[in-house]
C-alpha cells in the first residue's frame, strides 16, 4: 500500500492519502457483512445446488470475472446414444410398424468434454429443427475399424442441415434417408446411456444450435449452466460425481479416483466397443481458465450461496436503470446490458481460507439458515468491527446461539471478492460522510464491465434499486506502437516510474490525455519523446506569457475591454470561445480533444500569430502605455484561463504557473474555479480574412528567405492588391497592417486585375486578391529592427526610427488595432 501510495503521489493523483479506504479494514468488513444481511433481508439470497466455474487448484467456485479464456486442445468425440424402443421411434417419425426391426438406431451427440458423460441425464434437440434418420455406410477401412461394427450400415439421427458435414467427419457415406421430421417428434424418446446401464430421455431446448456438432446436445445438469436450466424444466437429476480436487468420487463406475483430464482417455476407449464412439479427434478451442492458476476450470454442481437475478426482480430493475447512467464510451451501455441480460444467478460463496465470511449458522440436517440469522448478522458485524475478521472464525456458536448451537454449524464459506469491491460504494460511503451517493463516476479498464462495474451495479440494485454511479468511464489497455501487449519477453514494457524519472510526471500525464482511451493505447519511448516535445511547446508558451507579465499588476494596470486594442479584444474572444469548448470536453471526459485544442491554440493562435504580432508592442512601446498594457491585459486573461485548462492534465506545471502569475490568488490552482475572461465587444474587422492574408504573405516571405534575399520578415515590405469589394476588408488596419504582417511596410491598393509581380493569395477562400513582397532598401532601426525611411532623422538618436524616438523620448506612439 505504501509503495502504491508513493507512486500515485508522484504521478500527481489527488487523494486523501493519509486516510485510504482498505477492504481489509475491520470497519469496511463489518459494513460489508451488514450489507449482506440487508440484501438477504430483501429476499435476494438463497442456497442452491448449481453448476459453477470450479478451479481444482483453488478448490473453490469462481466468479465470471475470475475466469479467462485461453486456447487448449480437447478430445472432441461424437458419441452414439441408441434408441431403446424402435417401435416407439417408428411411431414418432412416421415409419411403418416393424420397419426398423431390431436394427440399432443411434442419436449422435458431439462434445469436447467426454469426462462429463458419466453425469449425462438427457440428449437435447431443437423442436423446430429438421432431423433425418439416415442409413450410412463406412467409407473407408479406417472408419470401419474405428466407428462401425463389422461392415454393417448404421442408422443415425442427425440434424438435416449438418448431416452431410457429419458423415464426412465420420468417414461415412449416405445410402438413403429413411425419415425426416421435426425435433419435437422425439421429445420423451428413451435412449440407452453409452457408458451405464440406464436410459435417458430426449428433451427439447433452445440452446441447441447448428453452429457445430450434430444438432443433438449431450446434457449433464451438474456440469453446465444451460444443461442445469433445461434440466430444471424437465426435472432431471443434478448429479456431480467430481470432488473438490477434480477427481471422480470413489463410487463412480469406470473412472473412480481419476482426475477429469485423465478420465477423458479412459472414457474414449470405453466408448469404442459396440461402435458407441462414432468419431474422435483432438480440437483446439477457447476454454475457460482460472485467472490465478492459469489452469482449465470445470463446471461442477455444488451447494453454494447465490444472489438471485429473478426472485425479487434484480435483473429487471438493473436493466431498467442502466440507460440512466452516462456510459463513456457509449458502447459500454450495450456491453453491460448484454451481460446482465444473459448472466446466471450470482454465486457469491467461495471455499477459501481468506476473505469476508458469509456469517450464517445453518441447520446440520437441512442446510437452511438459522431463523434469527438477520439479527445475528448485525451482532457478528459488531464483533468484526471491534476485533477484526478473525472474530468470526474464532467464534464459538454457543456464544450467540446458546442451546441451539448443537443443531447448527458455522459456515466456513467466504464471499466472492467481487462482493468485497462491489460493495465499496456502500462501505466507503457510510464510513466517509463527505462522499455523495450515487457516485459521480466509476473509472476502470474495459474488462470491468464484467468485474467491478458489474458487481457494484448488482449490489446497489439489490440494496437500493438504483445504480451506485451516475457515470462510468472505461479505457483500453496500453500496448506498444505495433499494437502488441506489453511483455517482458518481448522487451517492450514501458515502466511508468522510468518515464517519470526521465521525462517527468507531466509528460506521462500528457501522453494519457493525448491518447484516445476508447481503444487500446499505444506507448513507446518514441511516442513519449514526441509527447515531451509537445509538452515543451505548451510550457514555453506559458513561459512567454509569464515573462511578459513581469511588473504587471492586474488591479492597477488591467485595461477595460472597451479601451483595449482590437487585436487584443480578438484574443479575449478567442480565449472565451476555447474555454467553452474545453469545459464541454472535460464534461465529456474527452481529454484528447482538450489536448489537441489547447495545443493548437498555443501553436497556431498564440505562438504563430497573436504573440508574434504583439511582441513588437510589448518590447518597443512605453512600459505604461495603453498599447503595452492592453496586450498585457490580454496575456493575463489568457494565462489565467490556460492554467486552469491545463491543471487536470499538467498538474505540476499548472501549479508552477499558478505561483508565478501576478495578482492575489489562492493556495492552489486546484482550489480555483474557471477564469472568466471579460466579454469584449467585437470590432468591425474581418479577422479571419486578415489571418488568411497574413498566411499568404508569410508564404511569400519564406520564398524570399530561401532565396537569400532577406534574413527576416522585417527586411521586406508588402503590397496587397485587391478588387474594390475587398479593399475595406484589408485596409481596416490602416498603417498598422505592417505590424500585423510583421513587415517594415504594408500597403493596400485598389485594382481591377493583378499587377505584374503580384501572386494570387491562394491561401484565402476568396478571389480578387494578390500580394507582392520585396526586400526594402530602408535603413534598420537598432531598437525595433524595422527598416524605415526616417531612421536617423532625429539628431539625438541617429540610429532610431521616428516611432522609437517617440517611444523613448516623447509621448509614445498610439495604436488602435495591432
Amino acid at each position: 500500500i505504501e509503495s502504491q501510495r508513493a507512486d500515485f503521489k508522484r504521478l500527481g493523483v489527488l487523494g486523501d492519502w493519509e486516510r485510504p479506504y482498505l477492504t481489509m479494514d475491520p470497519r469496511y468488513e463489518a459494513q460489508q457483512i451488514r450489507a449482506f444481511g440487508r440484501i438477504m433481508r430483501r429476499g435476494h439470497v438463497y442456497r442452491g445446488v448449481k453448476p459453477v466455474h470450479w478451479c481444482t487448484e483453488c478448490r473453490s467456485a469462481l466468479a465470471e470475472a475470475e475466469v479467462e479464456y485461453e486456447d487448449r486442445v480437447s478430445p472432441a468425440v461424437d458419441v452414439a446414444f441408441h434408441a431403446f424402443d424402435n417401435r416407439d421411434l417408428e411411431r414418432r417419425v412416421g415409419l411403418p410398424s416393424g420397419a426398423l426391426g431390431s436394427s440399432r438406431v443411434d442419436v449422435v451427440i458431439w462434445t469436447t468434454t467426454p469426462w462429463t458423460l458419466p453425469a449425462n441425464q438427457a440428449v437435447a434437440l431443437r423442436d423446430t429443427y429438421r432431423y433425418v434418420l439416415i442409413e450410412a455406410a463406412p467409407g473407408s477401412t479406417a472408419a470401419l475399424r474405428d466407428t462401425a461394427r463389422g461392415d454393417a450400415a448404421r442408422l443415425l439421427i442427425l440434424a438435416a442441415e449438418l448431416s452431410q458435414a457429419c458423415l464426412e467427419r465420420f468417414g461415412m457415406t449416405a445410402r438413403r434417408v429413411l425419415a425426416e421430421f421435426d425435433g419435437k417428434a422425439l421429445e420423451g424418446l428413451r435412449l440407452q446411456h453409452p457408458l451405464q446401464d440406464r436410459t435417458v430421455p430426449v428433451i427439447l431446448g433452445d440452446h441447441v444450435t447448428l453452429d457445430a456438432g450434430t444438432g443433438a446436445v449431450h446434457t449433464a445438469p451438474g456440469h453446465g449452466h444451460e444443461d442445469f436450466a433445461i434440466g430444471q424444466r424437465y426435472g432431471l437429476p443434478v448429479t456431480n460425481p467430481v470432488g473438490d480436487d477434480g477427481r471422480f468420487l470413489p463410487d463412480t463406475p469406470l473412472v473412480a479416483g481419476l482426475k477429469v483430464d485423465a478420465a477423458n482417455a479412459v472414457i474414449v476407449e470405453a466408448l469404442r466397443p459396440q461402435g458407441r464412439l462414432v468419431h474422435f479427434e483432438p480440437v483446439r478451442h477457447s476454454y475457460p481458465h482460472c485467472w490465478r492458476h492459469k489452469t482449465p476450470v470445470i463446471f461442477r454442481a455444488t451447494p453454494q450461496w447465490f444472489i438471485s437475478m429473478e426472485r425479487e426482480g434484480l435483473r429487471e430493475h438493473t436493466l431498467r436503470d442502466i440507460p440512466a447512467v452516462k456510459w463513456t464510451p457509449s458502447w459500454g451501455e450495450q456491453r453491460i446490458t448484454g451481460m446482465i441480460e444473459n448472466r446466471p444467478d450470482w454465486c457469491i460463496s467461495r471455499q477459501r481460507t481468506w476473505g469476508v465470511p458469509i456469517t450464517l449458522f445453518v441447520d446440520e440436517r437441512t442446510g437452511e439458515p438459522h431463523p434469527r440469522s438477520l439479527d445475528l448478522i448485525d451482532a457478528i458485524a459488531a464483533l468484526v468491527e471491534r476485533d477484526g475478521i478473525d472474530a468470526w472464525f474464532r467464534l464459538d456458536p454457543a456464544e450467540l446461539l446458546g442451546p441451539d448451537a448443537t443443531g447448527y454449524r458455522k459456515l466456513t464459506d467466504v464471499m466472492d471478492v467481487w462482493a468485497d469491491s462491489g460493495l465499496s460504494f456502500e462501505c466507503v460511503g457510510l464510513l466517509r460522510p463527505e462522499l455523495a451517493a450515487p457516485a459521480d463516476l466509476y473509472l476502470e479498464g474495459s474488462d470491468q464491465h464484467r468485474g467491478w462495474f458489474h458487481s457494484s451495479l448488482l449490489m446497489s440494485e439489490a440494496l437500493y434499486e438504483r445504480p451506485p454511479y451516475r457515470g462510468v468511464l472505461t479505457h483500453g489497455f496500453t500496448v506498444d506502437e505495433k499494437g502488441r501487449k506489453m511483455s517482458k519477453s518481448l522487451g517492450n514494457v514501458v515502466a511508468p516510474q522510468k518515464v517519470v524519472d526521465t521525462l517527468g510526471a507531466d509528460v506521462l500525464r500528457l501522453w494519457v490525455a493525448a491518447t484516445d482511451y476508447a481503444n487500446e493505447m499505444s506507448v513507446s519511448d518514441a511516442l513519449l519523446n514526441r509527447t515531451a516535445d509537445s509538452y515543451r511547446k505548451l510550457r514555453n508558451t506559458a513561459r512567454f506569457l509569464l515573462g511578459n507579465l513581469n511588473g504587471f499588476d492586474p488591479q492597477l494596470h488591467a485595461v477595460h475591454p472597451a479601451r483595449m486594442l482590437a487585436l487584443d479584444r480578438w484574443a479575449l474572444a478567442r480565449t472565451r470561445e476555447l474555454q467553452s469548448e474545453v469545459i464541454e470536453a472535460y464534461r465529456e471526459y474527452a481529454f484528447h480533444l482538450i489536448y489537441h485544442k489547447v495545443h493548437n491554440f498555443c501553436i497556431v493562435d498564440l505562438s504563430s500569430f497573436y504573440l508574434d504580432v504583439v511582441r513588437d508592442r510589448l518590447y518597443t512601446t512605453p512600459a505604461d502605455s495603453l498599447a503595452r498594457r492592453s496586450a498585457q491585459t490580454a496575456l493575463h486573461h489568457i494565462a489565467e484561463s490556460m492554467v486552469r485548462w491545463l491543471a487536470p492534465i499538467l498538474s505540476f506545471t499548472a501549479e508552477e504557473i499558478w505561483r508565478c502569475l501576478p495578482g492575489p490568488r489562492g493556495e492552489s490552482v486546484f482550489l480555483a474555479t474557471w477564469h472568466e475572461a471579460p466579454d469584449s465587444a467585437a470590432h468591425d474587422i474581418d479577422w479571419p480574412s486578415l489571418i488568411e492574408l497574413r498566411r499568404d504573405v508569410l508564404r511569400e516571405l519564406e520564398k524570399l528567405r530561401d532565396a537569400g534575399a532577406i534574413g527576416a520578415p522585417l527586411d521586406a515590405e508588402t503590397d496587397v492588391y485587391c478588387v474594390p469589394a475587398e479593399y475595406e476588408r484589408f485596409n481596416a488596419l490602416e498603417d498598422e497592417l505592417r505590424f500585423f504582417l510583421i513587415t517594415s511596410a504594408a500597403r493596400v491598393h485598389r485594382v481591377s486585375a493583378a499587377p505584374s509581380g503580384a501572386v494570387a493569395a491562394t491561401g484565402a477562400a476568396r478571389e480578387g486578391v494578390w500580394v507582392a513582397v520585396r526586400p526594402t532598401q530602408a535603413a534598420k532601426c537598432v531598437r525595433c529592427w524595422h527598416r524605415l525611411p526616417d531612421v536617423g532623422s532625429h539628431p539625438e538618436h541617429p540610429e532610431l526610427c521616428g516611432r522609437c524616438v517617440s517611444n523613448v523620448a516623447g509621448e509614445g506612439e498610439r495604436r488602435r488595432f495591432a
Side-chain angles (χ1 to χ4, degrees):
I1 292 168
E2 184 54 48
S3 175
Q4 185 185 64
R5 177 161 45 200
D7 283 344
F8 279 170
K9 283 183 178 180
R10 182 61 189 92
L11 280 171
V13 178
L14 291 175
D16 188 355
W17 295 117
E18 304 314 312
R19 294 195 306 150
Y21 86 80
L22 308 173
T23 56
M24 292 180 68
D25 183 332
R27 294 177 302 163
Y28 187 108
E29 292 168 328
Q31 197 58 42
Q32 182 176 334
I33 291 169
R34 293 187 185 102
F36 171 77
R38 284 161 49 210
I39 292 171
M40 191 171 181
R41 186 185 300 276
R42 291 175 61 88
H44 295 290
V45 179
Y46 72 95
R47 179 180 180 274
V49 178
K50 287 188 175 184
V52 295
H53 282 118
W54 185 272
C55 175
T56 58
E57 299 293 331
C58 296
R59 298 197 182 189
S60 174
L62 300 182
E64 287 285 340
E66 295 175 296
V67 174
E68 297 175 338
Y69 284 81
E70 304 288 346
D71 281 356
R72 71 167 295 188
V73 175
S74 297
V77 292
D78 293 274
V79 180
F81 284 66
H82 72 258
F84 185 73
D85 185 345
N86 279 4
R87 292 295 180 91
D88 185 26
L89 178 60
E90 290 164 350
R91 179 181 57 80
R92 290 170 178 272
V93 302
L95 288 174
S97 177
L100 297 175
S102 61
S103 299
R104 195 176 95 180
V105 181
D106 293 322
V107 177
V108 184
I109 65 94
W110 178 83
T111 181
T112 57
T113 54
W115 66 267
T116 61
L117 284 169
N120 175 273
Q121 297 295 340
V123 171
L125 308 182
R126 188 73 169 260
D127 58 349
T128 57
Y129 287 171
R130 295 294 284 174
Y131 290 82
V132 290
L133 170 55
I134 194 166
E135 183 180 359
S140 66
T141 304
L144 275 169
R145 182 175 60 252
D146 195 40
T147 67
R149 296 167 295 156
D151 60 356
R154 300 194 64 166
L155 301 181
L156 306 177
I157 292 178
L158 304 165
E161 189 174 318
L162 297 174
S163 59
Q164 186 57 40
C166 288
L167 292 177
E168 290 176 5
R169 183 166 76 245
F170 303 161
M172 295 182 179
T173 58
R175 287 185 177 175
R176 57 179 174 147
V177 174
L178 300 178
E180 185 169 347
F181 46 89
D182 288 339
K184 63 184 177 183
L186 298 190
E187 184 178 21
L189 181 72
R190 304 301 297 186
L191 304 176
Q192 179 63 47
H193 192 285
L195 294 173
Q196 299 168 8
D197 185 18
R198 58 186 175 90
T199 62
V200 298
V202 171
I203 60 176
L204 302 177
D206 292 340
H207 66 293
V208 179
T209 69
L210 299 177
D211 296 338
T214 65
V217 174
H218 146 58
T219 302
H223 292 307
H225 287 315
E226 292 171 327
D227 297 35
F228 178 83
I230 195 172
Q232 292 294 289
R233 179 148 59 91
Y234 279 92
L236 301 178
V238 181
T239 54
N240 167 36
V242 180
D244 293 357
D245 57 356
R247 295 182 181 275
F248 280 91
L249 301 177
D251 59 350
T252 310
L254 188 66
V255 288
L258 293 179
K259 282 216 161 191
V260 292
D261 282 345
N264 278 329
V266 173
I267 289 171
V268 168
E269 289 307 311
L271 290 169
R272 289 187 187 277
Q274 290 89 42
R276 294 187 183 94
L277 181 67
V278 181
H279 183 70
F280 163 77
E281 65 177 319
V283 296
R284 178 174 290 276
H285 63 142
S286 179
Y287 191 84
H289 287 65
C290 172
W291 72 341
R292 290 181 180 84
H293 293 99
K294 310 302 179 186
T295 52
V297 303
I298 62 176
F299 273 105
R300 176 173 178 267
T302 60
Q304 301 288 344
W305 293 88
F306 295 87
I307 290 180
S308 171
M309 295 298 295
E310 311 296 348
R311 287 189 178 184
E312 298 298 326
L314 181 57
R315 191 190 313 274
E316 177 187 352
H317 298 152
T318 304
L319 292 173
R320 175 199 65 197
D321 291 338
I322 285 174
V325 176
K326 180 177 175 57
W327 301 90
T328 306
S330 59
W331 50 255
E333 178 179 347
Q334 183 178 359
R335 186 174 187 190
I336 200 163
T337 296
M339 291 178 172
I340 297 296
E341 284 176 339
N342 299 309
R343 69 154 295 135
D345 290 351
W346 181 2
C347 176
I348 61 165
S349 51
R350 296 291 180 270
Q351 293 66 53
R352 302 193 189 280
T353 55
W354 48 267
V356 177
I358 296 177
T359 52
L360 294 175
F361 298 99
V362 296
D363 189 288
E364 289 280 13
R365 294 177 296 101
T366 66
E368 291 302 309
H370 193 281
R372 292 195 296 112
S373 287
L374 298 177
D375 294 332
L376 293 170
I377 283 174
D378 289 337
I380 295 161
L383 291 175
V384 168
E385 187 166 10
R386 187 188 69 194
D387 300 328
I389 205 69
D390 285 340
W392 169 255
F393 297 107
R394 292 194 302 261
L395 180 67
D396 182 347
E399 293 181 35
L400 294 178
L401 300 185
D404 286 351
T406 55
Y408 288 85
R409 63 180 175 85
K410 183 174 63 173
L411 280 188
T412 57
D413 289 357
V414 299
M415 292 188 213
D416 174 13
V417 292
W418 292 105
D420 298 359
S421 61
L423 282 166
S424 57
F425 69 89
E426 175 75 3
C427 301
V428 180
L430 291 177
L431 294 174
R432 307 289 285 270
E434 68 271 22
L435 298 181
D440 288 326
L441 182 71
Y442 269 43
L443 167 67
E444 251 291 359
S446 55
D447 58 336
Q448 295 306 311
H449 289 100
R450 69 182 188 129
W452 185 44
F453 303 150
H454 193 120
S455 61
S456 299
L457 180 59
L458 290 182
M459 285 297 191
S460 183
E461 290 286 351
L463 283 168
Y464 301 114
E465 292 189 13
R466 63 162 171 75
Y469 35 62
R470 293 187 176 91
V472 171
L473 185 149
T474 186
H475 55 82
F477 294 92
T478 52
V479 295
D480 69 14
E481 55 191 344
K482 296 180 180 178
R484 298 176 302 181
K485 187 177 179 180
M486 296 284 175
S487 166
K488 289 183 179 178
S489 61
L490 290 176
N492 63 347
V493 174
V494 177
Q497 292 89 341
K498 181 180 177 182
V499 178
V500 169
D501 289 344
T502 55
L503 298 176
D506 274 357
V507 171
L508 185 59
R509 296 175 67 96
L510 185 61
W511 166 77
V512 174
T515 305
D516 184 357
Y517 58 77
N519 305 301
E520 289 184 327
M521 299 179 288
S522 297
V523 64
S524 66
D525 290 337
L527 288 170
L528 287 166
N529 285 329
R530 287 202 289 272
T531 303
D533 290 339
S534 298
Y535 167 78
R536 278 188 285 273
K537 291 173 182 175
L538 294 170
R539 185 181 179 90
N540 286 340
T541 301
R543 289 180 64 187
F544 181 91
L545 297 174
L546 293 172
N548 283 280
L549 288 172
N550 182 47
F552 177 80
D553 184 338
Q555 294 181 315
L556 297 176
H557 303 134
V559 177
H560 190 277
R563 298 180 60 231
M564 292 176 70
L565 273 63
L567 184 59
D568 300 331
R569 295 207 296 273
W570 171 88
L572 289 184
R574 178 72 187 98
T575 301
R576 286 173 60 89
E577 175 188 23
L578 180 57
Q579 175 151 301
S580 297
E581 296 173 5
V582 166
I583 292 173
E584 181 60 26
Y586 271 122
R587 288 196 182 114
E588 297 296 321
Y589 308 113
F591 306 113
H592 64 294
L593 293 183
I594 296 166
Y595 161 75
H596 288 297
K597 287 176 181 291
V598 176
H599 185 264
N600 189 70
F601 177 72
C602 289
I603 303 307
V604 178
D605 291 334
L606 295 184
S607 296
S608 297
F609 170 49
Y610 178 70
L611 299 182
D612 201 26
V613 173
V614 301
R615 185 181 282 109
D616 178 86
R617 263 194 283 148
L618 291 166
Y619 295 171
T620 66
T621 59
D624 203 31
S625 67
L626 175 64
R628 184 166 180 270
R629 293 305 190 197
S630 174
Q632 285 185 307
T633 301
L635 298 188
H636 171 250
H637 289 301
I638 292 170
E640 290 281 10
S641 299
M642 197 168 82
V643 69
R644 292 161 168 85
W645 304 341
L646 295 176
I649 298 170
L650 303 182
S651 302
F652 295 100
T653 303
E655 286 285 51
E656 287 185 77
I657 296 170
W658 186 256
R659 289 194 294 270
C660 296
L661 282 168
R665 61 196 56 257
E667 176 186 354
S668 168
V669 66
F670 295 107
L671 301 177
T673 56
W674 296 112
H675 177 74
E676 285 295 332
D679 189 5
S680 53
H683 197 281
D684 189 19
I685 294 176
D686 187 348
W687 290 111
S689 291
L690 285 167
I691 291 170
E692 288 289 352
L693 175 66
R694 187 172 186 273
R695 290 172 184 157
D696 297 333
V697 171
L698 289 176
R699 184 166 52 249
E700 296 305 311
L701 290 171
E702 195 61 33
K703 294 176 183 177
L704 287 184
R705 193 202 303 267
D706 292 344
I710 62 172
L714 289 174
D715 294 339
E717 57 186 49
T718 302
D719 286 280
V720 179
Y721 302 92
C722 56
V723 296
E726 300 288 344
Y727 178 79
E728 295 301 329
R729 187 194 310 269
F730 295 117
N731 199 47
L733 300 188
E734 302 172 359
D735 182 57
E736 293 181 32
L737 180 62
R738 65 188 179 103
F739 298 116
F740 184 81
L741 299 178
I742 315 183
T743 55
S744 288
R747 296 168 290 270
V748 183
H749 311 274
R750 287 190 185 92
V751 296
S752 57
S756 61
V759 297
T762 54
R766 61 192 181 277
E767 296 180 355
V769 180
W770 302 267
V771 298
V773 296
R774 64 182 63 85
T776 180
Q777 303 304 313
K780 181 178 181 179
C781 173
V782 297
R783 183 171 180 272
C784 69
W785 295 5
H786 284 246
R787 293 182 177 272
L788 297 168
D790 63 352
V791 173
S793 61
H794 196 286
E796 296 182 15
H797 302 284
E799 296 182 304
L800 302 185
C801 65
R803 181 174 71 99
C804 284
V805 171
S806 174
N807 286 330
V808 169
E811 295 181 357
E813 66 176 314
R814 296 182 183 276
R815 297 269 193 96
R816 294 173 54 206
F817 306 112

